[in-house]
């Protein structure tokens, strides 16, 4: 997520209605509810006595991916707390860019068995690395689980002295990592005029990806309106193709076009249940969009086929495939993390010790009821279960979460999993053992 001045939610909701030319009270009420204005925070970890582990050396990791072939978790973390609270363009924090130069971020690998994290050393890459969304894809020239390509958003400071230029010069960095080693080899930087405010990435191949631009306005009052007014459908998703040849010209051999537009604050981006399904999230609206990849006349586009409205802000989606599924129980579904009281985010984001509660949801398609409906009722029937609600006692902000299941044979047949949660303002990745 990491994008919005949500402290002004009540006022902006009304202004947005006026801006639209009418007052829609149901829309205003939903905005207030999603922003957490009407919510009381709680902690299921404390209330239910759940086992929880804070993983060391994982500061401010905004995104998180479970690589099934290796069993490892991949994320990108900030250099330290001072860097994150001094310079983070997605939250319009432009206080001191020197801090991210002094303490660049890193790609981090987490072993969910040992609960230990390892920051990879870069080969051939130096300079500011302000982390945000990432994605990984298997190297097709290696066996599954042996090597991956890592795509990572970098909100580096802009070197230009033009006062009218954007403060951040955001690009996509591409690395190659051999599983088990301690390094990530830099391949190239990918830059294109259409990639302006990148948030999350979906790698389609080692040389192509989708990336969301979560806002049109980078800061200012129009940025606030863009966050809170659901009719501000100015964000878009871009398809990018490039050649992986090493080059100092970051724009060389890069082509891009708009693959999807017309959504409000499209933000998190992930894989779906099939190779052609894409899942996008509107963070501020708490909307989940299910889309289908389509190629027409050489252009790749995304067509929205279904939607779901959640009860909180949301961020990067992940799809959990239940390896122990059977005819009576299948826990497969989407895992979505968000903020319980996003209304406080803008004020809190500049304070190191502020508290921002989290909510993590498990979203499943109700297959039984779907099979009983008429053929013309094509859309899925979604059911959301709250997996975790924490008042920032254990973790501050949640922008991504994944499930790593445990073997039922080792727990008397109980269906359990470790829920890994991270956030752009969290000091550590959190692992919580839950029942499915």
């Amino acid at each position: 997520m990491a994008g919005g001045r949500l402290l002004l939610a009540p006022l902006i909701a009304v202004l947005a209605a006026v801006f639209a030319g009418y007052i829609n009270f149901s829309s205003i009420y939903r905005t207030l509810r999603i922003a957490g204005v009407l919510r009381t925070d709680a902690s299921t970890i404390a209330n239910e006595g759940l086992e929880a582990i804070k993983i060391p050396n994982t500061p401010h990791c905004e995104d998180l991916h479970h690589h099934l072939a290796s069993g490892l978790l991949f994320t990108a973390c900030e250099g330290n707390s001072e860097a994150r609270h001094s310079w983070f363009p997605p939250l319009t924090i432009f206080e001191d860019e020197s801090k991210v130069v002094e303490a660049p971020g890193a790609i981090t690998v987490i072993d969910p068995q040992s609960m230990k994290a390892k920051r990879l050393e870069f080969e051939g890459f130096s300079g500011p690395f302000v982390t945000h969304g990432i994605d990984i894809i298997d190297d097709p020239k290696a066996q599954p689980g042996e090597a991956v390509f890592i795509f990572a958003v970098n909100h580096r400071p802009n070197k230009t002295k033009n006062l009218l230029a954007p403060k951040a010069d955001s690009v996509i960095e591409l690395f190659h990592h051999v599983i088990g080693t301690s390094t990530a080899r830099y391949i190239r930087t990918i830059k294109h005029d259409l990639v302006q405010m990148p948030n999350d990435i979906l790698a389609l191949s080692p040389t192509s990806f989708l990336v969301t631009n979560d806002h049109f306005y980078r800061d200012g009052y129009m940025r606030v309106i863009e966050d809170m007014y659901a009719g501000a459908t100015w964000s878009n998703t871009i398809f990018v193709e490039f050649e992986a040849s090493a080059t100092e010209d970051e724009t060389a051999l890069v082509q891009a076009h708009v693959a999807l537009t017309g959504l409000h604050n499209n933000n998190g981006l992930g894989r779906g249940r099939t190779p052609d399904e894409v899942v996008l999230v509107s963070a501020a609206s708490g909307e989940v969009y299910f889309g289908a990849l389509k190629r027409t006349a050489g252009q790749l586009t995304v067509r929205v086929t279904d939607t779901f409205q959640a009860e909180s802000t949301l961020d990067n989606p992940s799809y959990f495939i239940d390896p122990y599924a059977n005819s009576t129980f299948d826990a497969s579904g989407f895992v979505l993390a968000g903020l319980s009281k996003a209304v406080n985010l803008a004020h809190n984001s500049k304070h190191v010790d502020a508290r921002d509660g989290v909510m993590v949801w498990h979203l499943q398609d109700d297959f039984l009821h779907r099979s009983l409906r008429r053929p013309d009722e094509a859309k899925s029937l979604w059911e959301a279960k709250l997996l975790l609600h924490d008042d920032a006692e254990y973790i501050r902000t949640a922008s991504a979460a994944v499930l790593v299941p445990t073997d039922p044979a080792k727990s008397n047949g109980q269906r359990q999993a470790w829920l890994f949660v991270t956030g752009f303002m969290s000091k550590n990745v959190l692992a919580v053992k839950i029942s499915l």
Side-chain angles (χ1 to χ4, degrees), residues 99-302:
K99 301 301 181 183
V100 296
V101 175
E102 297 167 1
I107 303 297
T108 301
V109 180
I110 301 171
D111 184 344
Q113 303 304 316
S114 67
M115 299 293 181
K116 293 182 178 180
K118 176 175 65 177
R119 291 167 67 92
L120 301 181
E121 296 179 9
F122 289 132
E123 292 182 351
F125 178 81
S126 61
F129 183 37
V130 183
T131 62
H132 202 173
I134 69 165
D135 198 18
I136 56 174
I137 190 169
D138 284 301
D139 183 346
K141 296 181 180 179
Q143 293 296 314
E146 288 186 351
V148 294
F149 289 96
I150 305 171
F151 293 77
V153 172
N154 182 5
H155 293 292
R156 64 190 185 184
N158 202 332
K159 294 180 180 179
T160 181
K161 297 185 182 300
N162 183 352
L163 296 179
L164 298 178
K167 297 181 180 69
D169 181 24
S170 300
V171 294
I172 310 299
E173 311 290 4
L174 178 61
F175 303 94
H176 185 268
H177 171 64
V178 176
I179 302 295
T181 67
S182 60
T183 61
R185 177 173 57 86
Y186 171 70
I187 297 177
R188 69 163 293 179
T189 298
I190 302 146
K191 184 175 181 177
H192 194 278
D193 288 343
L194 288 178
V195 182
Q196 298 171 345
M197 301 189 69
N199 184 300
D200 201 12
I201 305 172
L202 176 63
L204 300 178
S205 76
T207 56
S208 65
F209 59 90
L210 290 168
V211 57
T212 53
N213 285 313
D214 56 24
H215 288 83
F216 179 82
Y217 293 96
R218 297 174 185 267
D219 53 21
Y221 288 108
M222 284 303 295
R223 164 74 171 238
V224 181
I225 292 176
E226 186 178 4
D227 276 323
M228 301 312 305
Y229 172 45
T233 55
W234 308 320
S235 58
N236 57 29
T237 299
I238 307 299
F239 173 69
V240 180
E241 286 184 297
F242 63 96
E243 291 189 22
S245 306
T247 173
E248 292 185 4
D249 182 355
E250 299 170 345
T251 63
L253 308 173
V254 179
Q255 297 182 330
H257 64 260
V258 176
L260 176 66
T261 190
L263 302 182
H264 175 228
N265 188 215
N266 66 182
N267 193 294
L269 178 63
R271 290 176 172 77
R273 296 157 291 182
T274 67
D276 292 328
E277 185 176 54
V278 174
V279 183
L280 301 102
V281 170
S282 167
S285 292
E287 299 269 3
V288 185
Y289 303 96
F290 302 89
L293 293 175
K294 185 178 180 181
R295 281 191 178 272
T296 305
Q299 297 273 297
L300 185 140
T301 59
V302 178

